[in-house]
Amino acid sequence: MIRSVLLIACLALPRTALAAEEPADEATQPTRGDEEPAADSGNGQEDTTLDRYRTPFEVLTERMIGTASRAVRFDWRQTRVGVGLVGSQLLELNNFRSARLGGFVRMPIKGLLGDLAITRVFTRGSESTEKLALTPYRQAGRPSRFELDLNLGYPLAEGVTTARPGFFPATELVFSANAGLRYLFYPGSLAGASFGDTARSLFAPTLSELEIENLESTRLPGMQLDGARYSLLTGLSLDVYFQSGGFLSPRVLIALPLLSGATNSGLGWWWELSLGAGWAF
């Protein structure tokens, strides 16, 4: 009896109530808010109202992302100035040993890297020069002096790399070709010269007779004074920039004997190895 009553009640339910309990077909289900298609602007074109809020992936990799990560590339082109110390060993194809120590300032110049350096050069003799001094022969060389360098670097290749050991941050490497002009100044060489002679000597390509005479007392035994005041140099450098702004700059330069005739230089193709370290701001 009870079963018959329940069967009659189920058959009497409206069809709309049963339809409401059935799941809707996937094709008729409304899409979620994040899956709605982009709204058209009315003429069939894509809506671009959110473009100004989007950031390209290349930009995200160059700047801070959240608080747990940081940029790995140091862009030297965005720096204002860099300062540092430089030391080098001169290999002048003779028996005299010369070392340089000084400071430099560098800055980017329209995609190039220019630097200005002032160094003190210390020249020493050796056992060979002492023996050479006992003979009538002399070897071309330069006494201790100051040097002013104006150098320009052209980047050939650069990129970010992982440093070793692992606690160092990623570094930016810049491999550059360099060309520079070097000016030599010998303290005491212009003693007794007039103002006019001093002005002419400062810009002359070779040492004057008065300068050579004054330097005879300071030259090393076995040395014949080289008369060049200027030198042209070219070479390669590898700048290693750390994210903090610190950098290392090993460099190899070779003197070009293009001015040998004009400067009366007898040193030829001499070269030097240098290492600079500093900070870029």
Side-chain angles (χ1 to χ4, degrees), residues 23-43:
D25 188 78
E26 294 182 358
T28 61
Q29 287 183 356
T31 58
R32 294 179 297 176
D34 57 351
E35 296 179 354
E36 293 181 357
D40 291 342
S41 59
N43 55 1

Side-chain angles (χ1 to χ4, degrees), residues 4 28 53 116 133 244:
S4 300
T28 61
Y53 298 104
L116 179 68
S244 59

Side-chain angles (χ1 to χ4, degrees), residues 4 13 15 43 85 96 100 124 145 148 172 216 257 278:
S4 300
L13 288 176
R15 295 181 60 86
N43 55 1
L85 299 176
F96 300 101
R100 303 170 67 246
R124 297 175 299 169
R145 60 197 179 274
L148 177 66
E172 173 79 3
E216 279 292 330

Side-chain angles (χ1 to χ4, degrees), residues 23-271:
D25 188 78
E26 294 182 358
T28 61
Q29 287 183 356
T31 58
R32 294 179 297 176
D34 57 351
E35 296 179 354
E36 293 181 357
D40 291 342
S41 59
N43 55 1
Q45 297 181 357
E46 184 180 356
D47 186 8
T48 59
T49 56
L50 297 179
D51 286 350
R52 61 193 182 100
Y53 298 104
R54 297 188 177 100
T55 303
F57 178 76
E58 293 77 8
V59 177
L60 292 176
T61 59
E62 295 289 338
R63 71 183 186 186
M64 299 287 289
I65 305 175
T67 58
S69 61
R70 58 182 178 178
V72 298
R73 178 177 178 179
F74 181 86
D75 192 354
W76 59 271
R77 292 179 176 84
Q78 301 300 323
T79 60
R80 298 186 301 273
V81 65
V83 296
L85 299 176
V86 61
S88 63
Q89 181 73 32
L90 295 177
L91 305 174
E92 297 175 329
L93 301 180
N94 55 34
N95 296 313
F96 300 101
R97 297 175 294 175
S98 299
R100 303 170 67 246
L101 181 64
F104 65 90
V105 178
R106 61 169 50 175
M107 62 180 59
I109 306 174
K110 295 183 178 180
L112 304 178
L113 186 62
D115 65 68
L116 179 68
I118 299 178
T119 55
R120 173 64 169 169
V121 181
F122 304 92
T123 304
R124 297 175 299 169
S126 63
E127 183 178 354
S128 298
T129 60
E130 294 176 358
K131 295 179 179 180
L132 184 65
L134 302 178
T135 70
Y137 301 101
R138 295 293 180 266
Q139 197 168 52
R142 295 169 177 172
S144 298
R145 60 197 179 274
F146 287 95
E147 293 182 345
L148 177 66
D149 285 83
L150 181 62
N151 189 78
L152 198 63
Y154 178 75
L156 299 176
E158 54 186 306
V160 180
T161 185
T162 303
R164 290 290 185 270
F167 60 83
F168 280 107
T171 57
E172 173 79 3
L173 301 182
V174 183
F175 182 67
S176 304
N178 294 265
L181 177 67
R182 176 170 295 173
Y183 177 84
L184 286 68
F185 175 75
Y186 298 92
S189 61
L190 294 173
S194 63
F195 177 80
D197 292 337
T198 301
R200 286 190 296 269
S201 298
L202 288 176
F203 300 100
T206 61
L207 300 178
S208 63
E209 295 183 1
L210 178 61
E211 290 178 285
I212 295 177
E213 182 179 349
N214 289 334
L215 292 175
E216 279 292 330
S217 59
T218 61
R219 68 173 177 83
L220 294 174
M223 174 184 290
Q224 179 181 350
L225 290 174
D226 187 80
R229 194 187 305 273
Y230 295 95
S231 296
L232 291 176
L233 300 103
T234 185
L236 301 171
S237 65
L238 180 64
D239 298 321
V240 183
Y241 292 96
F242 299 96
Q243 181 60 34
S244 59
F247 61 87
L248 297 174
S249 297
R251 179 181 295 174
V252 179
L253 294 177
I254 300 177
L256 300 177
L258 300 178
L259 299 179
S260 297
T263 59
N264 194 26
S265 176
L267 291 179
W269 294 80
W270 56 269
W271 58 293

